[in-house]
Amino acid sequence: MTSTELAHEALPQKLKRRIKRMLGPWGVFLQGFIEHPVMVGSIIPSSRYTIAKMLGPVKWNECRLFVEYGPGVGTFCRPVLERLPRDGNLIVIDTNPLYIDYLKATIADSRFTAVLGSAADVETIVRAHGHAHADYVLSGLPFSTLPDGVGAEIAAATHRVLRPGGAFLVYQFTAAARDFMAKHFGHIDAGFELLNVLPCKLFWGWKE
């Protein structure tokens, strides 16, 4: 274990929760961006317009497991939980313990699970939580700046974990993600949201 990890573990849970509440979501999001800029897609969370358009095509009555990569401070988590059926589940995956701890401390919903880990391990994570597949996977990860090979690995694992008829939902500032998606998803819908900082490209890759 590294010295940073040891320091992180040494902090009492009550103190960590208090710090996160004092910072608020914007402060936590900014801190995460400063610490890991390559892994965070933007310095500002997505707008409500992006959220509504991105989630628009989801058939919520058919959704039992929704997975999100890179949830940050929960910008999409709460809207997803509002739409998700009572017997549905939301699993979010992030490599940053700052975000995972913040989400665990601020979202009290039995359908919600926050996992510290890599999106490339989504199949193992989904199975570990008692699911055979995911219905939808959402990602705001910056594919254009991910380490070599990671983007391709995530796209492949996502296609495998999705059920037929499910979809990979991606929002990005560039079209880099579509190149990774196209190798696995034969049908990709595309959109654009101007009312976001910065304006972003939206993709829905459907598993046939």
Side-chain angles (χ1 to χ4, degrees):
M1 185 176 289
T2 66
S3 57
T4 300
E5 290 170 333
L6 286 170
H8 175 77
E9 289 296 326
L11 278 175
Q13 289 299 319
K14 288 184 179 180
L15 177 58
K16 287 193 285 187
R17 289 193 179 95
R18 184 178 300 173
I19 292 172
K20 290 172 178 56
R21 289 195 180 97
M22 289 174 61
L23 285 172
W26 284 85
V28 175
F29 193 88
L30 179 60
Q31 182 182 344
F33 179 83
I34 292 171
E35 292 177 356
H36 304 282
V38 172
M39 300 302 293
V40 180
S42 171
I43 195 171
I44 297 176
S46 300
S47 72
R48 60 189 177 93
Y49 304 101
T50 299
I51 295 169
K53 187 174 288 187
M54 191 80 262
L55 300 179
V58 175
K59 295 180 180 179
W60 295 102
N61 62 322
E62 300 177 3
C63 184
R64 294 299 173 269
L65 178 60
F66 194 103
V67 176
E68 181 182 3
Y69 304 153
V73 294
T75 305
F76 272 91
C77 295
R78 292 166 182 82
V80 168
L81 289 169
E82 289 170 2
R83 295 163 170 79
L84 200 63
R86 290 184 179 180
D87 61 346
N89 290 275
L90 169 61
I91 295 176
V92 301
I93 305 169
D94 205 302
T95 57
N96 192 334
L98 174 71
Y99 291 150
I100 294 299
D101 284 352
Y102 178 80
L103 292 172
K104 287 180 176 179
T106 57
I107 297 182
D109 191 310
S110 60
R111 300 168 300 166
F112 178 76
T113 303
V115 177
L116 179 64
S118 169
D121 298 323
V122 63
E123 295 167 282
T124 300
I125 292 169
V126 164
R127 286 195 298 268
H129 288 83
H131 303 278
H133 58 251
D135 298 290
Y136 297 92
V137 177
L138 170 70
S139 175
L141 298 177
F143 276 79
S144 60
T145 61
L146 292 177
D148 289 345
V150 174
E153 191 175 352
I154 290 173
T158 302
H159 184 267
R160 290 193 299 267
V161 82
L162 283 168
R163 65 164 172 82
F168 188 20
L169 288 56
V170 179
Y171 57 100
Q172 299 275 278
F173 298 138
T174 72
R178 180 166 187 159
D179 295 334
F180 291 102
M181 296 170 69
K183 296 177 182 178
H184 307 281
F185 297 88
H187 177 192
I188 300 177
D189 293 323
F192 183 76
E193 181 50 59
L194 181 63
L195 299 176
N196 193 77
V197 182
L198 301 166
C200 64
K201 300 177 186 295
L202 315 178
F203 302 106
W204 298 266
W206 299 92
K207 183 171 180 177
E208 299 175 343

